[in-house]
Amino acid sequence: MAKTGRNEPCPCGSGKKHKRCCLGVRGHGAPASFPAGPPPSRPSSAGLGPSPGIDMSAYTVAKMLQDSPIFEEMKRTEPRRAARFWTPERIGALDTEAIVSRLRLLHVDVDRDAFAERAAACPSAEAWSLSAPWRRALAGRGRSADREDDFLGLAACELWKRWYPQRPSREMLDDWMQEGYDLSMAGDAEAACERWWPVWEVIRDRLEPRMRSCEQAESVLRGTQSIFNWVQDLAQELHNVALDASRFASLGVQLCREVLAQFPEDGGLFELNFRADLGEFLFLDDRAEEGEAVLAALIEDHPDEAIGYARLSSIVAHGVRGSRAGGPSDVPRAIALLEQAIARPVQDASGWDLQARLDYLRTRPPVDERSS
């Protein structure tokens, strides 16, 4: 059976993208006590339906349970049943002594120093994996049960967060990433960037030279979002914020250069977008000559793609910040760039509305008439 891509239509027939519907439950190591039911509607969760071959962490699935409409309904209509499920939120509400005491009831004697030593030695930085010997010992005593296993895994995640925060676990990164999405959806793009940038720094430092595509790097995170989608969302938010807060422009330059250097095999639109973003970030960082050189090279390397012509033309005509700030405007040159693209012709002129852009610039009133 072929694996369905994250952005392809979901095979369940819902009409939604796979990542918004049935992606990833009952994946590798997922909590076995997950309740059955239809997929949730929360955009940041991947869904509740079964999907073969998806590598999603147990912690991610536990968060999906916690945030799902199914569980909300269960808490309302069957509170006793809901109370039997362990979720990250429920574990997080316990103080450390309560977590340790319950572990001891399960014959797990956890010591802070020993735990931190194991966390430091964990190559994947997956906190849930530290609970594996606890679960094996529990099963050896004939006491293994789905919900006890879930408690052990979530307890390991929470103790890592409290006892060894200097090396963020994969679960912590996933939490920070989702917090960023929540901030973005609430309209606070700057706070989203502040939350996301440390996530990128940690992920970047854990990437290996052999990881030459985002897919090859997924083992670093295995979270709610894919690295491929998230780094593009980060670039978009950095751009939005840099329009008003120029200090974020240099972060955008750094992100684009690091992504392009790390993931050369992704190519295609991924590469085109990051090269174009790099050019714009350089303009926003008051490095106009470098920015123009990047966009000119993009046009030279991909003369049949509209993106380089369109992005450079827009900056030349309107300035990098558009109506947000004044600046020199070279409308004739912007027109020439669009005419060059249309005459070639580029393969995606309609997708970039090149003719509409050109028509607007040709009929745009002179600067002195607009300002009078």
Side-chain angles (χ1 to χ4, degrees), residues 45 60 65 118-119 146 162 214 233 243 261 281 354 367 369:
S45 293
T60 299
L65 162 64
R118 289 183 60 211
D146 291 343
R162 300 181 189 187
C214 290
D233 292 338
L243 292 172
F281 277 123
L354 295 191
V367 173
E369 290 183 16

Side-chain angles (χ1 to χ4, degrees), residues 31-360:
S33 56
F34 214 94
S41 58
R42 188 175 190 270
S44 58
S45 293
L48 297 180
S51 185
I54 302 296
D55 187 20
M56 183 172 285
S57 74
Y59 182 76
T60 299
V61 179
K63 287 204 302 182
M64 289 160 49
L65 162 64
Q66 171 182 283
D67 298 333
S68 69
I70 294 170
F71 193 56
E72 286 299 316
E73 179 68 11
M74 184 192 300
K75 287 191 291 184
R76 187 181 68 83
T77 61
E78 300 178 84
R80 290 187 178 181
R81 182 188 175 201
R84 294 197 296 268
F85 288 92
W86 287 100
T87 66
E89 188 175 74
R90 183 181 173 191
I91 291 280
L94 299 176
D95 61 39
T96 302
E97 184 54 39
I99 295 174
V100 171
S101 295
R102 182 171 178 83
L103 286 171
R104 288 174 181 151
L105 289 175
L106 297 174
H107 302 283
V108 174
D109 190 10
V110 59
D111 172 80
R112 178 171 183 166
D113 292 337
F115 183 93
E117 186 176 342
R118 289 183 60 211
C122 181
S124 67
E126 183 182 34
W128 192 289
S129 67
L130 297 191
S131 69
W134 305 345
R135 295 196 304 274
R136 288 195 296 268
L138 194 67
R141 287 187 290 272
R143 290 200 55 189
S144 181
D146 291 343
R147 295 184 183 92
E148 289 180 339
D149 283 354
D150 293 348
F151 171 80
L152 294 175
L154 291 169
C157 295
E158 188 63 29
L159 291 177
W160 186 311
K161 185 190 304 183
R162 300 181 189 187
W163 285 352
Y164 197 58
Q166 61 267 42
R167 186 192 182 208
S169 67
R170 293 199 310 203
E171 293 85 354
M172 290 169 65
L173 294 179
D174 193 45
D175 285 344
W176 295 350
M177 193 176 285
Q178 291 310 109
E179 288 170 15
Y181 276 108
D182 290 339
L183 290 165
S184 176
M185 292 170 66
D188 195 341
E190 184 167 338
C193 290
E194 296 282 10
R195 177 76 283 184
W196 277 347
W197 187 254
V199 178
W200 169 246
E201 290 183 311
V202 174
I203 290 175
R204 177 200 63 205
D205 292 346
R206 293 179 183 176
L207 295 172
E208 301 174 21
R210 64 178 178 81
M211 298 174 179
R212 295 173 57 79
S213 71
C214 290
E215 184 175 3
Q216 293 168 353
E218 282 301 323
S219 60
V220 173
L221 182 65
R222 280 185 67 217
T224 308
Q225 305 294 331
S226 72
I227 291 176
F228 182 88
N229 290 336
W230 175 73
V231 291
Q232 295 180 80
D233 292 338
L234 173 56
Q236 179 65 55
E237 288 291 40
L238 285 171
H239 181 271
N240 292 339
V241 176
L243 292 172
D244 293 315
S246 57
R247 66 189 178 91
F248 287 92
S250 61
L251 295 182
V253 171
Q254 181 179 338
L255 174 72
C256 291
R257 284 180 168 161
E258 290 173 347
V259 166
L260 288 167
Q262 181 69 50
F263 303 128
E265 292 183 6
D266 279 317
L269 287 175
F270 184 87
E271 177 195 352
L272 291 173
N273 285 330
F274 270 101
R275 288 182 65 178
D277 287 345
L278 173 59
E280 289 203 24
F281 277 123
L282 285 164
F283 273 100
L284 286 165
D285 201 31
D286 297 322
R287 296 152 71 180
E289 289 186 8
E290 292 178 70
E292 176 147 352
V294 167
L295 292 175
L298 182 58
I299 293 172
E300 182 177 353
D301 294 342
H302 299 277
D304 296 324
E305 302 282 352
I307 186 171
Y309 305 93
R311 300 279 282 268
L312 183 55
S313 173
S314 178
I315 293 172
V316 168
H318 309 294
V320 71
R321 288 183 171 84
S323 61
R324 297 169 187 247
S329 175
D330 190 347
V331 173
R333 183 172 173 227
I335 289 174
L337 282 165
L338 294 176
E339 289 177 334
Q340 178 186 351
I342 292 172
R344 186 168 178 87
V346 295
Q347 61 187 8
D348 51 348
S350 60
W352 281 88
D353 295 322
L354 295 191
Q355 189 61 54
R357 292 170 185 252
L358 181 59
D359 293 342
Y360 168 75

